[in-house]
Amino acid sequence: MTNCLPFVIFHPNHCTSILPNCYNRLVISPDAKKQVPTILLVTIILMAGIFRFGWAGVHSFSFDEARVSMIALKMVFEGEFARLGMQSSVGVPNFPATVWLYAIPYAIFGANVQMATWFTGFIGLLAIPAVYVFGRWRWGVWGGLTAALLFALSPTMLVYGRNIWSQNFLAPLTVFWLVAGYKGILPIVEERPSNLQSNAWLAFFVFLSGFIGQVHIAGLAFALPGAYLFFRFKLWRNLIPLIIGGAIALLAAFPALYTIWRFGDGARADLNSALAEPSTWNSQVWRMMVQLPLNIGWEFHWLGGDWQWGQPIDTLAQLTIWLLAALLLCGLGLAVAQTVKWLNGSADVRPADSLWLNLVLGALLATPLFFLYSGSDVAIHYILPAFPAGILLMAGVGTLFPNKQRGGILVFALIALICAVYTVQLTQGLNIIAKQLAPGGMGTPLSYPQAALDKTLNGAGQAIVVSHSDQIEFEGDPAVFHVLGYENDVRLVDGTASLLIPADNNERVRQTFTFDFIPAWSMAQRISDGAILDESPRREGEPPYRILDLSADQLIGFTMLADPAALDNGATLTGYQINQTNDSQLEFISLWQIGEDATGDHVQQFNHLYIDGGEGPAEVRDIYTSSRAWRAQDSLVTWVVFNVPEGAKPIYLHTGMYTLPNVERVPKSQADGDPLFPIQIDLE
């Protein structure tokens, strides 16, 4: 056996006779030989599971993932049925199908982001035996195993299999579409009676043809091969399953279509605007179609575009591309040859083989043709449905050998060697992005914000997260921490000009700052004495999360009002600081106490500076207060810097609050005179 491998490598013309002999020496009995494909398939699935479920938390979780999760969590825990998905890049909301899919793990496991991420991997794992079965139908056992191995361990499938993205479903759903199409259409092609099982497969095929586009816009391309197959194989001869599958797909699309039609004036305007964009030819779709199954450039997503593996991995990686390119070229040639035979009416082409090839070519060409002439930019993940088709064509190259089984074994062995290189790359890549920042690569993996939040919660069930915004609908950091803290009382604060100090109850509530350059972090240190400062690390090359433990009795430097000014929304101005930062700037820091009757309305603080001899305010500065995060007995510190005109003398300032979006001033409580008159701070 040890003498076989060199002969196979350096004498390819004779490898079909040598490799099976080696294989036969390893097999003790015919019964054991029959079990080899099953053992290999199980091994492939186990290996795929390691790379889809291993390295927990080492995957991206940013705005897109968080936004989908938010809508799914609302659906599961708040009973708010998702009629729309997250906003698309052109402004039109996506269909809610992806949200519905991710609602499944959230409903089973609670607000556990890791389980939802593993759900993506689980769907990809289910596609592996489906790829094997579909490949086996045409190329035999070894062709099926080859396709399964490529689907299982190709880095492209791992990049799109380890996080919560709608496009991650495209390749697995394409595999299910292929299987369903073959099982459902085959009785029609072979002109034999259909049964309940084949009718169910046909209905499932039609459903997927209409549903994949609801999961991701690229899936709309399946309308092209769906329509072609309908006419090519006269599917109207079995109309009932078509109607059932189409009706279910339309039913799934109805909530989004009705909502946009009935209430989506803005969405319709965005759609019309996108459709009005001039279309151009996107020839790069053909490059993408080839690039995906060859696993070219996958490192960009994890490690950045400038990543270099070093030797010998760089050389081996290039070799894998050339070997796969040769296989893909042969596979495409095989497809062309069989298509010519079919067009010439050759009796050598079985109806089942014709169906199989039409399905594969449909999946291969659907998205490139769909986006070939369009008015929008084409991202490479739009072409993901071509990936399963490409590897299925590669898997058939073994049939070009005189002995098809021996050829299949040889191609499988070659792919196994290629996947061994992938295994090294994937292992090294995951270990790197788990510990250090790769410029231009994956952002901070999930495990780090999760660890920071857990440290801040410290078993108390409450925490405050301070970032550059608290808008979960539009910004990444607040969206991420909103989802991670969904089952806890996690409040979000915009730290640009506000510092919320939680009430000092039995359980101290600590705060996570996403970055130390957020103004609230430095302000907390300026105005306090004895605050506890801590941190939670990010990866090497990234700044840590900052953690603050601060109570109101640690604040210093404030002038306390003898007569605090209370507002009707529960906020009471109790103190302030005035700091002359330089000759032309004046800093106003205000201290508010939040009462039991805090309304939770969305309010902003206004600040007007008046100068001696001026008519009206010299400058107006408003502050976003993150009022939806207030709790009774909290303290709120806000600050603003006024630009003082040269030579001017500030004499007083007015402050107060007003509601949004109706912009109504919050009146003072129990005030003498006009309750809408601002709170005045004299500066002389």
Side-chain angles (χ1 to χ4, degrees), residues 352-679:
D353 295 343
S354 173
L355 171 61
W356 191 96
L357 184 60
N358 275 272
L359 285 165
V360 170
L361 291 179
L364 181 71
L365 300 174
T367 47
L369 288 174
F370 188 78
F371 292 105
L372 180 60
Y373 188 70
S374 69
S376 61
D377 294 332
V378 181
I380 191 169
H381 61 257
Y382 291 7
I383 315 299
L384 276 170
F387 179 90
I391 64 172
L392 283 161
L393 291 178
M394 293 182 198
V397 173
T399 62
L400 295 174
F401 288 79
N403 187 313
K404 291 181 173 54
Q405 182 183 25
R406 293 175 177 179
I409 296 172
L410 173 64
V411 173
F412 176 81
L414 178 62
I415 294 300
L417 291 174
I418 290 173
C419 287
V421 177
Y422 290 158
T423 299
V424 174
Q425 289 181 292
L426 291 167
T427 301
Q428 186 176 342
L430 287 166
N431 287 336
I432 289 170
I433 60 176
K435 297 177 181 179
Q436 67 186 62
L437 170 66
M442 182 187 294
T444 304
L446 169 69
S447 58
Y448 291 93
Q450 184 68 72
L453 183 59
D454 291 344
K455 186 173 183 177
T456 307
L457 287 166
N458 196 29
Q462 298 184 61
I464 293 175
V465 176
V466 186
S467 67
H468 62 283
S469 171
D470 65 356
Q471 301 296 303
I472 61 176
E473 300 86 358
F474 307 107
E475 299 290 344
D477 281 340
V480 165
F481 280 97
H482 174 71
V483 172
L484 296 182
Y486 194 84
E487 294 183 318
N488 292 283
D489 182 11
V490 174
R491 295 183 266 165
L492 305 172
V493 172
D494 183 333
T496 304
S498 297
L499 173 65
L500 189 63
I501 303 169
D504 191 7
N505 297 322
N506 294 331
E507 294 285 352
R508 291 289 290 271
V509 179
R510 305 203 295 174
Q511 308 191 45
T512 294
F513 289 73
T514 54
F515 294 98
D516 56 12
F517 57 73
I518 293 172
W521 174 252
S522 57
M523 179 59 70
Q525 297 172 72
R526 281 180 54 197
I527 63 174
S528 67
D529 182 19
I532 300 174
L533 309 178
D534 200 355
E535 65 181 41
S536 181
R538 280 186 174 94
R539 297 175 296 177
E540 179 184 341
E542 295 178 316
Y545 294 96
R546 301 294 185 176
I547 298 176
L548 173 70
D549 188 335
L550 173 65
S551 62
D553 58 12
Q554 294 172 317
L555 298 178
I556 58 174
F558 284 91
T559 299
M560 306 307 293
L561 296 177
D563 186 15
L567 302 179
D568 277 356
N569 66 347
T572 300
L573 183 67
T574 61
Y576 65 90
Q577 291 186 27
I578 301 293
N579 300 310
Q580 190 82 35
T581 58
N582 55 50
D583 292 340
S584 62
Q585 289 189 324
L586 184 76
E587 181 184 50
F588 171 55
I589 305 175
S590 55
L591 174 62
W592 301 81
Q593 179 76 30
I594 309 302
E596 298 287 346
D597 54 346
T599 61
D601 292 337
H602 185 187
V603 299
Q604 297 213 136
Q605 179 180 337
F606 65 85
N607 304 277
H608 300 169
L609 176 67
Y610 291 83
I611 60 175
D612 190 17
E615 295 183 4
E619 191 167 15
V620 174
R621 296 286 190 185
D622 289 358
I623 295 173
Y624 185 82
T625 65
S626 293
S627 56
R628 287 169 291 190
W630 296 355
R631 300 285 189 278
Q633 304 308 313
D634 286 347
S635 297
L636 173 69
V637 176
T638 62
W639 56 94
V640 65
V641 176
F642 293 106
N643 294 310
V644 181
E646 184 177 357
K649 179 183 178 182
I651 54 175
Y652 62 85
L653 59 84
H654 285 165
T655 189
M657 295 184 179
Y658 62 92
T659 60
L660 286 177
N662 51 347
V663 194
E664 293 182 354
R665 184 169 292 184
V666 179
K668 292 183 291 188
S669 304
Q670 302 175 348
D672 296 332
D674 184 1
L676 295 179
F677 190 79
I679 302 168

Side-chain angles (χ1 to χ4, degrees), residues 119-143:
F119 178 75
T120 309
F122 175 70
I123 298 299
L125 208 65
L126 288 180
I128 294 170
V131 167
Y132 164 73
V133 169
F134 188 80
R136 188 189 64 189
W137 285 335
R138 180 65 186 92
W139 309 127
V141 168
W142 291 101

Side-chain angles (χ1 to χ4, degrees), residues 83 254-266 268:
R83 296 178 296 173
F254 177 77
L257 295 176
Y258 176 78
T259 302
I260 292 174
W261 170 74
R262 184 69 177 83
F263 307 106
D265 292 341
R268 292 198 302 274

Side-chain angles (χ1 to χ4, degrees), residues 71-72 74-76 79-85 95-97 99-100 103 252 255-256 259:
I71 305 172
K74 279 189 175 183
M75 182 173 172
V76 172
E80 187 175 317
F81 180 73
R83 296 178 296 173
L84 297 171
F95 287 94
V99 173
W100 296 346
T259 302

Side-chain angles (χ1 to χ4, degrees), residues 51 153-160 162 165 287 291-309 313-314 316-318 320-321 324 380 384 387 418-433 440-442:
F51 285 106
L153 295 180
S154 285
T156 297
M157 287 296 93
L158 271 299
V159 167
Y160 295 103
R162 288 182 55 88
W165 286 344
R287 172 183 56 78
Q291 180 179 343
L292 285 167
L294 299 187
N295 295 295
I296 297 174
W298 67 270
E299 299 94 336
F300 169 81
H301 299 275
W302 286 2
L303 300 162
D306 297 328
W307 178 259
Q308 296 292 324
W309 290 103
I313 298 298
D314 271 330
L316 291 174
Q318 289 299 314
T320 65
I321 293 173
L324 288 178
I380 191 169
L384 276 170
F387 179 90
I418 290 173
C419 287
V421 177
Y422 290 158
T423 299
V424 174
Q425 289 181 292
L426 291 167
T427 301
Q428 186 176 342
L430 287 166
N431 287 336
I432 289 170
I433 60 176
M442 182 187 294

